């Protein structure tokens, strides 16, 4: 309905007798008579003394439509992915919820690009956030480029994947029957195929595990609320005492500990004994050695485990018994072979044990840090309520000495939802969430997160039905058979499939953890095509691992500093050490080691450019600065794509073929110029996406 803002009167044309919704109004404006009637009605309203603007309120149809679109939009909001992206890690999320409830309307209309609104400002006192460019002529041109280029990109890769292509017989054997009519699916990638085949069983676990916990909680309920000493509630309505927190941890940790042995036995059979032995040795190193030896012993032992797992093929029982008893056919040999035959659902347990190694190191170093800190004094000094800690305080505040027990350690290291692929959560954070439920876990947000996971699963399925770039790379291709555009776009989509196949397990296991009442960090924030910075890319890619690296390697090494050139060199050395560990942690492979060093090398231009062209020197000409940054990012993206192609896609030889194909004739150079132009447009859109976040007061480092 449409009415006057001042008196509420409705013109005749908008009354229920004539129309029900504004859709009917505009549907009636297809004749001169309707237009004249509308104008005369508005004139009568004005003559009656209404000089205010009209208010258009949605009818039932518009309200329901707006509700659906609003919900869909909220599914793709940053807050849905992880509240850590929209709120400071130093602010307890309960505080954020309270403020949001009080100022919901103001938050929705927030625009920090308007001077005087209290947003972040630059050196001149002007808002850092810039006015929106979405409705400017510049961006209308960009939209046109997107409309043309993006479908063309899909067409190029679809064209080389059609049965009519001359090379189709070479890779057809790598394709499988698909569910899209008339198309096969490329599930030749072993990682994604394994995940895809096990989705029904994982979905069953997602439902069964939390239900088993609820059943356990019914059988062993938390003791009634104690009146023991605890911090003051400080106005929190849902006050949780220290005694309540201890009782909750006892309940949850006991279930996690018991479920560990059932889960390990089902997953790895008798190999679970090897995992328990490794965990026990690591625990003894942390709790049995003098404090000064703990870090060195932890790193030596766990890096040695990474190498030993790879070189010994998971310590097969048959190999161990053959070493002890060289005689063939003996009892020990038969016993070893029999034990190997019961390897559980995942016989090769060592493949994904790298994730567990990170948790082992986290426990040891968190325990090491706790020996030099007093939990109570830290909470008292900051006047913190342990039930409402910020995410930063949950990570940094050491647990009490009794919490570093063998039971809690095993429950943490083999916590079922995060065991196979993460995300990584520190031991301190795990214990804190055992005691006090995270305020960020809300049913509505978890449902939206689940819907978003399903949309990502649908996306990769559709891409793999129409784009066979992985199968093509496995079919012993002759790269010279393809044009530079085809080579480049196949590699580009190969990287996106890599991104999606890693995103899906991470999001599924985080969804499982959220349903179970644990809130680990989100691993992926940005799409692969939404990363204009190499440094920022690695902050956002496998984010929980990045945070782990910062806490346990990067900061202890000295972190980053740009005060002097010596500090810059030290920072680069730290980067090199971190990425060397990252490469070795992923796999003992020359390609990945080269990839790690290339990443560090390709970070250098961005770091140097940041020193030579700081934003503060361009505050009076931000348009020129945006164009300059776009050109710099263009070169940076090229280098970043090359590094990832070497590490995860076509290798060194494939990259050489792509470069040779581009520069061998004019067609390759024309493609290069076209691709660079399209990338430049994409970069400007990336910048504006971040500007839109800044207008809402969100300043992400990725």
């Amino acid at each position: 309905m449409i009415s006057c803002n001042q008196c509420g009167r409705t013109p005749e044309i908008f009354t229920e007798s004539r129309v029900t919704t504004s859709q009917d109004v505009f549907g009636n404006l297809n004749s001169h008579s309707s237009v004249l009637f509308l104008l005369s009605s508005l004139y009568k309203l004005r003559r009656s003394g209404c000089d205010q603007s009209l208010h258009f309120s949605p009818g039932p149809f518009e309200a329901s439509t707006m509700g659906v679109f609003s919900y869909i939009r909220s599914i793709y909001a940053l807050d849905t992915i992880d509240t850590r992206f929209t709120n400071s890690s130093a602010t307890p999320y309960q505080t954020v919820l309270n403020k949001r409830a009080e100022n919901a309307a103001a938050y929705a209309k927030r625009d920090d690009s308007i001077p005087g609104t209290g947003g972040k400002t630059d050196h001149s006192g002007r808002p850092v956030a810039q006015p929106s460019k979405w409705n400017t002529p510049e961006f209308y041109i960009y939209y046109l480029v997107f409309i043309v280029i993006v479908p063309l990109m899909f067409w190029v890769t679809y064209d080389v994947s059609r049965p009519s292509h001359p090379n189709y017989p070479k890779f057809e054997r790598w394709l499988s029957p698909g569910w899209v009519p008339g198309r096969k699916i490329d599930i030749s990638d072993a990682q994604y195929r394994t995940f895809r085949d096990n989705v029904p069983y994982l979905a069953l676990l997602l439902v069964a595990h939390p239900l088993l916990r609820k059943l356990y909680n019914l059988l062993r309920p938390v003791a009634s609320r104690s009146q023991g000493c605890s911090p003051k509630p400080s106005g929190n309505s849902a006050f949780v005492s220290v005694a309540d927190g201890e009782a909750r941890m006892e309940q949850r940790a006991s279930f996690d500990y018991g479920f560990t042995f059932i889960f390990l036995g089902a997953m790895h059979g008798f190999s679970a004994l090897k995992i328990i032995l490794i965990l026990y040795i690591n625990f003894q190193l942390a709790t049995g050695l003098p404090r000064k030896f703990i870090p060195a012993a932890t790193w030596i032992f766990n890096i040695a485990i990474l190498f030993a797992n790879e070189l010994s093929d998971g310590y097969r029982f048959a190999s161990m018994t053959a070493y002890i008893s060289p005689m063939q056919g003996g009892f020990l040999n038969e016993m070893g072979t029999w034990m190997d035959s019961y390897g559980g659902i995942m016989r090769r347990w060592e493949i994904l044990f790298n994730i567990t190694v990170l948790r082992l190191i986290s426990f040891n170093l968190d325990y090491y840090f706790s020996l030099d800190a007093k939990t109570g004094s830290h909470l008292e000094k900051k006047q913190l309520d342990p039930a409402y800690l910020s995410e930063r305080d949950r990570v940094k505040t050491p647990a009490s000495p009794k919490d570093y027990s063998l039971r809690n350690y095993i429950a943490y290291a083999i916590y079922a939802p995060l065991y196979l692929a993460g995300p990584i959560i520190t031991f301190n954070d795990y214990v804190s969430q055992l005691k006090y439920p995270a305020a960020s876990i809300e049913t509505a947000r978890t449902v939206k997160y689940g819907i978003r996971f399903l949309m990502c699963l649908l996306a990769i399925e559709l891409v793999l039905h129409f784009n066979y770039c992985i199968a093509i790379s496995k079919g012993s291709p002759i790269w010279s058979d393809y044009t530079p555009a085809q080579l480049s776009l196949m590699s580009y989509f190969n990287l996106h499939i890599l991104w999606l196949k890693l995103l899906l397990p991470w999001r599924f296991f985080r969804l499982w953890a959220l349903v179970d009442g644990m809130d680990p960090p989100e691993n992926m924030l940005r799409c692969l095509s939404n990363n204009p910075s190499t440094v920022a890319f690695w902050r956002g890619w496998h984010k929980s691992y990045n945070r782990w690296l910062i806490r346990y390697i990067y900061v202890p090494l000295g972190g980053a500093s740009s005060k002097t050139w010596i500090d810059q060199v030290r920072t680069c050395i730290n980067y090199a050490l971190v990425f060397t560990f990252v490469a070795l942690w992923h796999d003992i492979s020359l390609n990945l080691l080269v990839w790690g060093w290339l990443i560090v090398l390709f970070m250098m231009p961005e770091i140097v450019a940041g020193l030579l062209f700081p934003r503060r020197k361009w505050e009076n000409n931000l348009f020129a600065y945006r164009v300059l940054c776009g050109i710099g990012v263009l070169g940076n993206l090229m280098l970043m794509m090359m590094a990832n192609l070497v590490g995860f896609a076509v290798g060194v030889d494939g990259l050489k073929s792509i470069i040779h194909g581009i520069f061998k004739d004019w067609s390759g150079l024309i493609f290069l110029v076209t691709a660079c132009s399209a990338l430049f447009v994409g970069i400007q859109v990336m910048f504006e996406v971040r500007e839109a976040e800044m207008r809402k007061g969100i300043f992400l480092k990725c």
Side-chain angles (χ1 to χ4, degrees):
M1 297 297 296
I2 302 179
S3 60
C4 174
N5 278 340
Q6 186 178 33
C7 68
R9 293 179 60 187
T10 304
E12 183 182 356
I13 190 173
F14 300 125
T15 58
E16 295 292 337
S17 61
R18 294 295 301 257
V19 294
T20 304
T21 67
S22 57
Q23 182 185 23
D24 299 320
V25 174
F26 295 108
N28 289 337
L29 297 183
N30 55 7
S31 66
H32 294 293
S33 60
S34 296
V35 174
L36 292 173
F37 187 81
L38 171 63
L39 293 174
S40 64
S41 299
L42 293 175
Y43 176 74
K44 290 177 183 178
L45 186 66
R46 183 174 178 84
R47 286 292 301 271
S48 65
C50 297
D51 295 329
Q52 303 299 317
S53 60
L54 294 180
H55 171 68
F56 288 72
S57 60
F61 175 79
E62 289 88 343
S64 60
T65 304
M66 288 168 60
V68 170
F69 281 107
S70 178
Y71 187 80
I72 293 173
R73 187 176 180 181
S74 69
I75 291 173
Y76 289 91
L78 283 176
D79 196 61
T80 298
I81 302 178
D82 194 343
T83 58
R84 295 170 177 87
F85 296 142
T86 55
N87 306 286
S88 169
S89 62
T91 304
Y93 192 68
Q94 187 62 46
T95 304
V96 175
L97 288 177
N98 295 338
K99 289 184 178 179
R100 184 172 297 173
E102 296 170 3
N103 304 304
Y107 180 80
K109 296 179 180 178
R110 179 173 180 174
D111 186 353
D112 285 2
S113 67
I114 301 173
T117 55
K120 188 176 181 180
T121 57
D122 58 23
H123 293 78
S124 304
R126 291 169 294 195
V128 171
Q130 298 300 300
S132 174
K133 302 176 186 67
W134 295 121
N135 292 320
T136 61
E138 176 190 357
F139 270 72
Y140 290 148
I141 296 173
Y142 296 162
Y143 302 150
L144 180 62
V145 172
F146 267 75
I147 291 171
V148 174
I149 295 297
V150 173
L152 184 61
M153 291 168 63
F154 279 92
W155 171 258
V156 169
T157 52
Y158 169 72
D159 187 48
V160 298
S161 303
R162 290 194 295 177
S164 58
H165 194 275
N167 288 333
Y168 185 81
K170 292 183 179 180
F171 59 84
E172 184 180 12
R173 65 189 179 93
W174 294 100
L175 305 179
S176 304
W179 52 266
V180 173
R183 296 294 299 178
K184 293 185 176 182
I185 186 171
D186 179 4
I187 51 173
S188 56
D189 182 89
Q191 281 183 311
Y192 178 68
R193 183 173 64 251
T194 302
F195 175 77
R196 186 178 190 264
D197 293 343
N198 286 288
V199 163
Y201 309 107
L202 291 171
L204 182 63
L205 267 176
L206 173 66
V207 175
H209 176 258
L211 289 178
L212 283 174
R213 186 186 293 281
K214 289 185 178 297
L215 178 62
Y216 179 84
N217 293 347
L218 287 174
L219 298 176
R220 292 194 60 184
V222 173
S224 59
R225 177 168 293 194
S226 172
Q227 298 299 323
C229 298
S230 61
K232 295 181 180 180
S234 303
N236 293 315
S237 57
F239 172 52
V240 182
S241 71
V242 171
D244 291 337
E246 294 292 338
R248 186 177 187 271
M249 183 185 73
E250 180 68 25
Q251 184 187 61
R252 287 186 64 89
S254 297
F255 175 83
D256 289 342
Y257 179 72
F259 192 80
T260 285
F261 297 97
I262 301 172
F263 183 70
L264 280 183
M267 290 299 299
H268 307 306
F270 283 110
S271 290
L273 299 173
K274 307 169 191 174
I275 296 173
I276 295 297
L277 178 60
I278 292 172
L279 264 62
Y280 182 74
I281 294 172
N282 183 74
F283 179 79
Q284 290 300 321
L285 290 176
T287 58
L289 291 176
R291 181 180 183 276
K292 63 181 180 180
F293 296 124
I294 293 175
T298 296
W299 285 109
I300 291 171
F301 173 74
N302 282 282
I303 291 176
I305 286 294
L306 290 177
F307 279 88
N309 286 354
E310 179 76 17
L311 299 176
S312 66
D313 199 27
Y315 323 106
R316 297 289 178 260
F317 287 109
S319 301
M320 290 189 284
T321 55
Y323 180 79
I324 297 171
S325 176
M327 294 180 60
Q328 295 292 329
F331 172 75
L332 279 178
N333 298 102
E334 292 179 358
M335 177 65 73
T337 303
W338 177 76
M339 293 178 75
D340 282 335
S341 67
Y342 288 89
I345 298 171
M346 184 178 290
R347 294 176 180 271
R348 297 194 62 192
W349 62 273
E350 71 277 7
I351 293 177
L352 297 178
F353 192 73
N354 291 11
I355 292 286
T356 305
V357 164
L358 300 181
R359 288 188 284 268
L360 303 191
I361 295 172
S362 175
F363 172 84
N364 284 20
L365 294 185
D366 278 0
Y367 176 72
Y368 167 76
F369 297 146
S370 74
L371 296 177
D372 196 33
K374 296 181 180 179
T375 307
S377 63
H378 176 77
L379 295 174
E380 291 168 6
K381 185 184 299 184
K382 290 191 170 185
Q383 296 184 335
L384 299 174
D385 183 345
Y388 297 97
L389 294 178
S390 67
E391 201 254 349
R392 181 184 299 174
D393 287 325
R394 288 205 313 262
V395 171
K396 289 188 174 182
T397 303
S400 61
K402 64 183 179 61
D403 292 337
Y404 294 94
S405 64
L406 181 62
R407 182 201 64 178
N408 291 353
Y409 162 69
I410 291 178
Y412 161 71
I414 315 295
Y415 177 58
L418 307 181
Y419 169 70
L420 292 175
I424 311 301
I425 187 173
T426 67
F427 180 77
N428 288 343
D429 196 0
Y430 172 77
V431 169
S432 179
Q433 292 194 53
L434 284 182
K435 295 181 179 181
Y436 309 106
S440 55
I441 299 179
E442 301 171 286
T443 302
R445 180 183 290 107
T446 303
V447 170
K448 292 176 186 177
Y449 190 85
I451 294 173
R452 187 152 180 175
F453 163 77
L454 293 175
M455 296 300 290
C456 291
L457 181 61
L458 177 63
I460 193 173
E461 285 286 305
L462 291 175
V463 168
L464 292 176
H465 273 87
F466 294 95
N467 185 329
Y468 301 152
C469 59
I470 299 176
I472 291 171
S473 66
K474 290 179 179 290
S476 301
I478 300 174
W479 296 116
S480 58
D481 290 346
Y482 298 95
T483 66
Q486 291 169 340
L487 278 172
S488 300
L489 288 171
M490 281 193 294
S491 301
Y492 179 79
F493 277 98
N494 200 328
L495 289 176
H496 279 73
I497 292 169
L498 166 70
W499 178 79
L500 278 168
K501 78 170 186 179
L502 293 175
L503 171 82
L504 287 168
W506 286 337
R507 286 211 172 154
F508 175 84
F509 291 122
R510 182 169 184 264
L511 174 64
W512 180 3
L514 289 171
V515 173
D516 190 48
M518 188 70 63
D519 185 8
E522 169 64 25
N523 267 341
M524 294 285 204
L525 167 60
R526 308 289 189 190
C527 172
L528 188 69
S529 290
N530 186 15
N531 286 280
S533 162
T534 306
V535 176
F537 172 79
W538 289 112
R539 290 191 185 118
W541 174 280
H542 203 170
K543 193 169 181 63
S544 67
Y545 183 39
N546 175 268
R547 292 155 62 98
W548 185 96
L549 291 169
I550 291 172
R551 175 166 171 78
Y552 299 114
I553 301 181
Y554 193 57
V555 171
L557 285 175
S561 176
S562 57
K563 293 181 180 179
T564 66
W565 285 105
I566 295 176
D567 291 334
Q568 285 289 328
V569 171
R570 187 182 294 114
T571 298
C572 294
I573 293 172
N574 290 346
Y575 281 146
L577 291 173
V578 168
F579 275 96
T580 298
F581 174 81
V582 169
L584 294 176
W585 176 81
H586 275 93
D587 196 6
I588 302 173
S589 162
L590 180 60
N591 266 359
L592 282 178
L593 198 57
V594 172
W595 162 80
W597 292 336
L598 281 177
I599 290 296
V600 177
L601 178 64
F602 293 164
M603 282 181 176
M604 295 304 102
E606 181 179 341
I607 294 173
V608 173
L611 291 172
L612 296 177
F613 303 100
R615 185 183 186 276
R616 65 177 181 274
K617 293 184 178 180
W618 296 78
E619 288 175 352
N620 293 323
N621 195 351
L622 290 177
F623 174 79
Y625 183 69
R626 179 161 58 89
V627 173
L628 179 67
C629 288
I631 295 171
V633 169
L634 177 61
N636 211 28
L637 283 183
M638 290 293 187
L639 296 177
M640 188 161 57
M641 290 170 64
M642 289 165 59
N644 284 289
L645 286 173
V646 169
F648 297 103
V650 297
V652 176
D653 292 336
L655 180 62
K656 288 180 180 178
S657 297
I658 293 173
I659 295 173
H660 174 72
I662 288 174
F663 290 102
K664 72 176 182 179
D665 55 33
W666 282 104
S667 63
L669 294 174
I670 292 172
F671 163 73
L672 180 63
V673 172
T674 305
C676 288
S677 302
L679 279 173
F680 181 83
V681 169
I683 290 163
Q684 296 303 317
V685 174
M686 295 180 210
F687 290 162
E688 185 58 21
V689 167
R690 285 154 179 78
E691 288 289 345
E693 293 168 358
M694 288 189 280
R695 287 192 287 273
K696 293 295 183 182
I698 301 170
F699 291 83
L700 296 174
K701 295 182 178 179
C702 59

